[in-house]
Amino acid sequence: LYVPFDPPVLNIEPQAGTKLEFPENDVLVKVPIALDTAAPVNVFFDYCFDLDHSEADINDLYLESGYSYPASKKHPFPVCGQSVGKVTILADTIAPRDNPDVSVWINVKRDYAVEGDESLRLVIKNLTGAVLPGNKHDGYFDLILVDSDIEPKSKDFAITATEDVLYTFDSTQFDY
């Protein structure tokens, strides 16, 4: 493994305080992986999603057979123990290009279930040309899949309605 002297550090949240949170919204998004400084050489690593150490499961993400996003987009979703994805960060840059074959993407499914936030573990292996925090070449980041379904709060209230006339509840009657 080649690592330059005083190597750049690979992280997920160095871009303007980006959080590791990804909302349930049916939108394909690039995971913001970046180096803290530009590398003098190309940076390569393998990645996969560890579902055995995640609260999320495969049903929380939009996938097609073979654990990939729709064929027209060619965005892989490698599951640890089954396959790996590869990321490349070119020399003199800090982040991978937007091409699906050199970066990490996820699409969190809007499931309409009130379930709380869930973790999804992104495993990094065989890192060359940079290091992870703590000068490691292998490690992981826990991404947070943010539940977008807000449960109404219970409260007592009176309803004035006419008998035998349809009454329709609406969201203004509930606190969120």
Side-chain angles (χ1 to χ4, degrees):
L1 298 174
Y2 173 75
V3 178
F5 179 74
D6 192 22
V9 177
L10 178 77
N11 209 331
I12 287 190
E13 49 185 332
Q15 300 176 12
T18 302
K19 293 185 179 181
L20 300 176
E21 296 180 346
F22 300 87
E24 291 180 344
N25 62 3
D26 300 338
V27 175
L28 184 65
V29 294
K30 183 179 172 185
V31 176
I33 294 172
L35 302 171
D36 63 346
T37 59
V41 297
N42 290 345
V43 173
F44 303 98
F45 64 88
D46 299 332
Y47 76 96
C48 61
F49 292 95
D50 184 352
L51 298 179
D52 292 333
H53 293 96
S54 299
E55 296 165 337
D57 64 32
I58 207 74
N59 297 316
D60 292 315
L61 302 147
Y62 271 120
L63 306 170
E64 70 173 15
S65 62
Y67 297 109
S68 65
Y69 290 106
S72 61
K73 299 199 188 248
K74 306 263 190 245
H75 292 87
F77 186 85
V79 174
C80 295
Q82 298 178 19
S83 62
V84 296
K86 302 207 177 274
V87 171
T88 302
I89 300 174
L90 298 176
D92 300 320
T93 65
I94 64 166
R97 295 171 308 173
D98 288 342
N99 300 32
D101 58 337
V102 296
S103 54
V104 180
W105 296 75
I106 62 172
N107 187 342
V108 184
K109 186 185 298 184
R110 175 80 190 259
D111 62 7
Y112 299 98
V114 177
E115 61 198 350
D117 297 347
E118 299 170 292
S119 66
L120 176 63
R121 182 160 290 180
L122 172 62
V123 175
I124 307 291
K125 293 186 176 199
N126 304 319
L127 177 60
T128 61
V131 294
L132 292 167
N135 285 330
K136 298 178 181 176
H137 296 281
D138 298 321
Y140 65 87
F141 297 99
D142 284 326
L143 311 179
I144 305 301
L145 308 185
V146 179
D147 185 41
S148 62
D149 304 302
I150 303 169
E151 188 171 356
K153 295 177 185 169
S154 170
K155 72 175 185 178
D156 292 330
F157 60 92
I159 298 172
T160 304
T162 305
E163 185 177 354
D164 297 328
V165 174
L166 179 65
Y167 181 84
T168 304
F169 289 93
D170 67 42
S171 63
T172 61
Q173 295 171 300
F174 299 96
D175 293 331
Y176 288 91

